[in-house]
Amino acid sequence: MMMTIGRQGGRLAAAAAGKRLFTTCGVSNGVHPLLMQFSAGPARKVTASWIRAPAIGLRRNESTLALGERGHQPETREEKAVGSAGAGGEDKGVVSYWGVPPSKVTKEDGTEWKWNCFRPWDAYKADMSIDLKKHHAPSTFLDRMAFWTVKALRFPTDIFFQRRYGCRAMMLETVAAVPGMVGGMLLHCKSLRRFEHSGGWIKALLEEAENERMHLMTFMEVSQPRWYERALVFAVQGVFFNAYFLGYLVSPKFAHRMVGYLEEEAIHSYTEFLKEIDNGNIENVPAPSIAIDYWRLPPGSTLRDVVLVVRADEAHHRDVNHFASDIHYQGHELRAAPAPIGYH
Ligand SMILES: [Fe+2]
Ligand SMILES: [Fe+2]
């Protein structure tokens, strides 16, 4: 009995959901050639199956709307193509029913901006004048714990990667992009819980996470992870995210200090990377175009130029995180000092 009711209820719910969910996609007469295919059977049986729009023959960034104009007239005026989905452009466009305007950005020279993952206003010129040698001498028990935690983490990393600095950089960026996001998220929740401003630190930490992720997107262009390296990233992210989350809850001053030391290690690693390029052990290939656009590098820049700007970024992260820890050490919350937003 229960089973029958359940089955009938399920059918009714599916029919209702079919009307509600599927008709809002701008589908008229039950057929939409790009998004889904409906067939209404004689016994009010509605089936829906997702199909992928064929992308063959589409030019880069060409919209599915343009494709539709050749083979299919859109059913509603609201259907719009929203450009290519991926960074650097993929062959498939996305049809938007929701009126979200297609965003087309051009560079200063009038050519099309091809990155969806960041926009021209996110790009910047790295501040290369930053002091790379600054170091926070550990003075308290927590400082020493943070310092030796990072040193201990470096040991297995050195053994695993040895002198493969390209691969090492790529893998370490998958970890480096976590603390800013976790810290920003926790400050965000705290701001909501306590009905108070964050002093801009949510934005500053999320900016750091985004900047680290752009390092990863850049190094992906010059080094492709192998299957076991991908598996390692899965495992390390699972452990590190949760460990840092708990660590930040217990002691933000420790968490920021540890990231400060991680960044000092990152500066060291990129300095070694540069030495390997200069020695000719790593080929100084042309800079990936994503890096040229993100750091506004001149045309003809090379991998060496990219490593230089990434290292400068790491030095800025070092300063931000040691500063954040110092604020806590002085008995304040981060919001007591204006956050270094846009500090690159
Ligand atoms: Fe980084
Ligand atoms: Fe960093």
Side-chain angles (χ1 to χ4, degrees):
M1 182 65 179
M2 289 284 283
M3 292 275 286
T4 315
I5 291 170
R7 248 182 256 129
Q8 283 173 346
R11 243 178 259 135
L12 285 170
K19 274 184 196 162
R20 262 177 167 268
L21 295 177
F22 300 139
T23 52
T24 53
C25 291
V27 179
S28 171
N29 300 328
V31 179
H32 188 303
L34 288 175
L35 287 179
M36 60 185 72
Q37 191 174 45
F38 278 85
S39 64
R44 294 165 57 101
K45 192 175 170 187
V46 178
T47 58
S49 61
W50 293 93
I51 56 167
R52 292 170 76 95
I56 301 162
L58 272 175
R59 285 196 307 271
R60 190 183 207 182
N61 290 338
E62 188 172 31
S63 69
T64 48
L65 182 61
L67 179 73
E69 280 165 2
R70 286 192 212 113
H72 153 68
Q73 291 302 315
E75 302 291 348
T76 66
R77 290 172 67 86
E78 287 78 13
E79 275 184 12
K80 285 193 178 99
V82 203
S84 59
E90 288 170 9
D91 287 337
K92 294 188 288 289
V94 175
V95 174
S96 169
Y97 163 77
W98 301 105
V100 179
S103 141
K104 208 159 198 179
V105 181
T106 51
K107 285 190 191 179
E108 285 157 0
D109 62 6
T111 56
E112 191 182 339
W113 183 262
K114 60 181 176 179
W115 311 108
N116 284 356
C117 54
F118 71 102
R119 297 296 176 165
W121 47 88
D122 301 316
Y124 62 96
K125 269 196 175 301
D127 168 20
M128 307 295 284
S129 66
I130 192 159
D131 183 354
L132 298 170
K133 292 204 160 40
K134 263 185 170 174
H135 165 65
H136 180 273
S139 54
T140 65
F141 172 73
L142 268 189
D143 281 0
R144 278 190 281 274
M145 202 164 95
F147 181 78
W148 288 110
T149 303
V150 171
K151 286 288 177 201
L153 287 174
R154 188 178 155 184
F155 184 66
T157 315
D158 282 348
I159 290 176
F160 187 82
F161 294 108
Q162 298 187 350
R163 302 186 91 76
R164 293 182 297 137
Y165 286 101
C167 187
R168 180 191 180 114
M170 183 184 61
M171 298 289 283
L172 291 185
E173 295 298 353
T174 66
V175 172
V178 169
M181 182 57 69
V182 171
M185 177 184 70
L186 287 172
L187 291 182
H188 175 80
C189 293
K190 187 177 178 182
S191 168
L192 303 180
R193 273 196 319 275
R194 295 199 180 175
F195 302 90
E196 65 188 21
H197 292 282
S198 74
W201 281 91
I202 299 169
K203 194 173 170 64
L205 293 182
L206 294 183
E207 269 184 2
E208 180 191 302
E210 182 65 11
N211 183 243
E212 295 285 18
R213 206 171 57 79
M214 286 305 296
H215 293 175
L216 175 66
M217 298 299 112
T218 297
F219 285 113
M220 265 169 38
E221 299 290 321
V222 287
S223 178
Q224 285 297 314
R226 296 167 199 156
W227 71 266
Y228 58 86
E229 289 164 343
R230 287 175 181 270
L232 184 70
V233 170
F234 253 72
V236 169
Q237 189 176 88
V239 173
F240 184 69
F241 180 95
N242 289 294
Y244 192 80
F245 179 83
L246 292 175
Y248 202 98
L249 280 178
V250 173
S251 174
K253 85 166 75 156
F254 169 79
H256 282 296
R257 186 67 79 213
M258 200 187 84
V259 176
Y261 288 129
L262 270 174
E263 302 292 353
E264 289 184 18
E265 285 299 329
I267 295 167
H268 170 79
S269 293
Y270 283 115
T271 303
E272 293 299 309
F273 196 160
L274 285 170
K275 282 183 193 163
E276 291 296 298
I277 293 173
D278 292 341
N279 292 341
N281 295 332
I282 295 175
E283 192 185 349
N284 192 17
V285 294
S289 54
I290 190 170
I292 289 178
D293 284 341
Y294 186 63
W295 283 282
R296 294 189 189 140
L297 295 172
S301 295
T302 62
L303 177 61
R304 191 179 195 284
D305 302 310
V306 174
V307 175
L308 281 170
V309 292
V310 170
R311 187 176 64 167
D313 284 353
E314 308 300 10
H316 287 80
H317 302 157
R318 171 204 62 194
D319 293 353
V320 169
N321 281 281
H322 280 320
F323 174 50
S325 186
D326 287 351
I327 293 170
H328 282 292
Y329 266 105
Q330 290 163 33
H332 299 292
E333 303 228 357
L334 291 186
R335 66 195 169 88
I341 295 171
Y343 181 70
H344 291 297

